[in-house]
């Protein structure tokens, strides 16, 4: 059986350049009338990939390497445009897209240099958002930062911005909102549920104890504080 597959050349003269129909910023490049590779328009300009240009094998290799890096970079930028991400998250997503380790390393280094990846800042902002807007405790936040691959030193620095008084107030607001009705109906039953709920939210035993001490022990009027939740990191 004859193999009719045409082998892409490793160099030659550009005989045709055509824009892709579905990706307007990408072009197909033909060497000696055979499709050789597709490339983003940024690299088209950089390497002056015009019809009639001679591409040597060495340059051909450089173009393909840079194209792969550029593709991975744009993929990472798209991920970062939706929300902040840790370096670990970006590495894992690029790995899922089957980029090579060398490419992933190059891209993450570039993103750090350009300020798009900053695990210290990421940890600080996530901690602030989780503790203030979502009323999550230090234990919850620490576990989430660990899952996102944040280095220990950045986790410790980020958690230092959360003090126990702020945690207690946040936990109290959350408890007031969630258990207001049940507390007015049966304080004893609500007290048992509340302790477990706050622990599951990541609050320490000392914070839970302080909140419980502020809650009414019997039916009666109480100044209940409202709270809201937002999520910018999911």
């Amino acid at each position: 059986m004859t193999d009719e597959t045409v082998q892409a050349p490793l160099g030659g003269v550009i005989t045709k350049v055509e824009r892709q129909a579905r990706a307007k910023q990408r072009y197909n490049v033909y060497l000696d009338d055979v499709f050789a590779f597709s490339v983003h328009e940024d690299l088209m300009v950089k390497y002056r990939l015009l019809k009639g240009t001679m591409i040597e094998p060495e340059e051909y290799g450089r173009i393909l390497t840079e194209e792969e890096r550029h593709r991975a970079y744009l993929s990472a930028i798209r991920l970062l445009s939706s929300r902040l991400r840790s370096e670990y998250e970006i590495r894992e997503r690029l790995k899922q897209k089957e980029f090579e380790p060398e490419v992933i390393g190059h891209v993450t280094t570039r993103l750090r240099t350009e300020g798009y990846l900053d695990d210290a800042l990421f940890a600080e902002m996530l901690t602030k958002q989780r503790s203030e807007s979502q009323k999550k405790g230090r234990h919850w936040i620490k576990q989430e930062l660990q899952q996102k691959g944040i280095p220990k030193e950045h986790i410790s620095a980020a958690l230092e911005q959360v003090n126990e008084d702020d945690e207690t107030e946040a936990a109290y607001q959350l408890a007031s909102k969630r258990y207001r009705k049940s507390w007015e109906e049966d304080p004893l039953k609500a007290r048992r549920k509340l302790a477990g709920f706050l622990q599951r939210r990541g609050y320490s035993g000392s914070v839970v104890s302080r909140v419980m001490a502020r809650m009414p022990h019997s039916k009666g009027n109480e100044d209940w504080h409202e709270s809201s939740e937002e999520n910018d990191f999911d």
Side-chain angles (χ1 to χ4, degrees):
M1 181 177 180
T2 302
D3 184 2
E4 297 181 350
T5 301
V6 178
Q7 182 66 40
L10 299 180
V13 177
I14 298 178
T15 53
K16 182 180 178 181
V17 177
E18 63 179 7
R19 175 178 287 181
Q20 294 185 358
R22 295 185 178 181
K24 300 299 184 180
Q25 293 182 319
R26 297 193 61 81
Y27 291 80
N28 295 329
V29 179
Y30 293 76
L31 299 180
D32 299 329
D33 297 321
V34 177
F35 172 76
F37 55 86
S38 64
V39 67
H40 191 275
E41 64 181 3
D42 290 347
L43 299 187
M44 283 282 297
V45 174
K46 178 177 179 178
Y47 286 95
R48 296 183 59 81
L49 301 178
L50 305 174
K51 185 176 180 180
T53 300
M54 178 66 187
I55 304 297
E56 300 293 344
E58 182 178 345
E59 184 178 28
Y60 178 88
R62 287 200 303 270
I63 293 172
L64 293 190
T65 297
E66 190 162 350
E67 163 60 23
E68 186 73 353
R69 291 174 174 177
H70 192 266
R71 194 164 62 87
Y73 175 79
L74 292 180
S75 180
I77 289 295
R78 284 192 292 272
L79 291 170
L80 290 166
S81 67
S82 61
R83 69 167 175 83
L84 290 176
R85 297 175 192 266
S86 66
E87 181 172 332
Y88 172 80
E89 289 181 291
I90 290 296
R91 285 181 174 273
E92 287 300 301
R93 290 296 295 272
L94 292 180
K95 187 184 300 182
Q96 292 172 10
K97 294 177 180 293
E98 300 184 348
F99 288 106
E100 295 295 325
E102 183 278 331
V103 172
I104 295 174
H106 176 86
V107 169
T108 52
T109 297
R110 178 181 175 182
L111 291 171
R112 283 198 306 271
T113 301
E114 296 175 343
Y116 291 113
L117 284 182
D118 186 335
D119 279 352
L121 178 61
F122 176 89
E124 179 182 337
M125 294 184 67
L126 184 141
T127 297
K128 182 178 177 66
Q129 196 271 337
R130 292 293 190 252
S131 63
E132 296 181 1
S133 298
Q134 292 194 352
K135 307 297 186 289
K136 297 288 180 63
R138 288 168 58 92
H139 295 331
W140 177 296
I141 298 169
K142 180 179 180 179
Q143 185 177 37
E144 183 174 3
L145 290 174
Q146 289 174 335
Q147 291 173 346
K148 293 182 181 298
I150 302 299
K152 292 181 179 179
E153 63 270 22
H154 296 330
I155 294 177
S156 298
L159 292 177
E160 285 180 0
Q161 68 183 312
V162 182
N163 61 59
E164 193 166 283
D165 289 340
D166 291 337
E167 277 196 294
T168 300
E169 183 60 33
Y172 177 73
Q173 290 181 15
L174 182 63
S176 300
K177 179 179 180 180
R178 187 176 181 91
Y179 286 92
R180 176 175 180 173
K181 183 177 181 180
S182 59
W183 203 281
E184 292 173 346
E185 294 174 351
D186 189 340
L188 184 60
K189 182 178 180 180
R191 179 176 291 273
R192 290 196 298 267
K193 291 183 177 181
L194 176 58
F197 169 72
L198 291 179
Q199 289 175 346
R200 290 192 297 274
R201 297 283 293 196
Y203 290 106
S204 66
S206 61
V207 169
V208 174
S209 296
R210 291 174 68 179
V211 171
M212 300 298 285
R214 291 178 61 179
M215 303 300 286
H217 291 272
S218 60
K219 295 181 181 180
N221 294 327
E222 178 72 10
D223 290 331
W224 299 95
H225 301 287
E226 298 298 328
S227 63
S228 61
E229 296 190 8
E230 299 175 359
N231 196 335
D232 296 326
F233 287 82
D234 288 341

